[in-house]
Amino acid sequence: MSSDQVTEKAKQTWKSVKEMLEKAEESTHKALEKAAPAVAKSIDSSLETAAKGFNTTIKSIDGATGGDQVKLLRAYRRFLSGQVDFVDSRIRDLEQKTKSPKQ
C-alpha cells in the first residue's frame, strides 16, 4: 500500500470516527437530558471537551508523514481501546451491582 493510499485510508477512518463520535455525543446528550438535566449538562461539557481533544489529536497526526501517521493512529487506537475497556468494565460492574439482590 502506497503512502498516498495510507493517507487516504487514514482520512476515511478519521471521517468515520468523527461521525461516530458526533452520533454518540448526540444520542448520549438526548438520553441524559431525559434522565437527569443537571448531570446531562456536566457530561455534555465533558463530551465536548473530549471531542475537541480528539480533533486536536487527529489534526496533529495529519501533519505527520504517511508512515508515521499509521504508527501514530495505531498507538492512538490502543489508547482509545484502553478507555473503552475501562468504560465496559465499569458498565459490567454497575450492571452486576444492580442485578444482585439487595441484602
Side-chain angles (χ1 to χ4, degrees), residues 20-102:
M20 180 184 69
L21 280 174
E22 289 170 352
K23 288 178 184 177
E25 181 180 5
E26 182 181 330
S27 66
T28 301
H29 178 71
K30 287 179 183 178
L32 288 173
E33 268 188 3
K34 292 178 185 176
V39 174
K41 188 174 184 177
S42 173
I43 291 178
D44 191 39
S45 173
S46 296
L47 286 173
E48 187 175 314
T49 301
K52 286 179 183 177
F54 178 81
N55 285 332
T56 300
T57 301
I58 294 299
K59 284 179 184 177
S60 296
I61 292 171
D62 282 346
T65 64
D68 286 344
Q69 284 184 26
V70 171
K71 291 175 187 175
L72 292 167
L73 287 168
R74 284 186 177 142
Y76 192 49
R77 179 177 55 193
R78 283 190 302 272
F79 168 76
L80 293 175
S81 179
Q83 290 186 324
V84 168
D85 291 345
F86 175 80
V87 171
D88 287 345
S89 174
R90 292 283 303 268
I91 290 169
R92 281 190 301 274
D93 289 347
L94 290 169
E95 286 176 339
Q96 196 69 33
K97 286 179 184 177
T98 60
K99 288 181 183 176
S100 63
K102 295 185 180 185

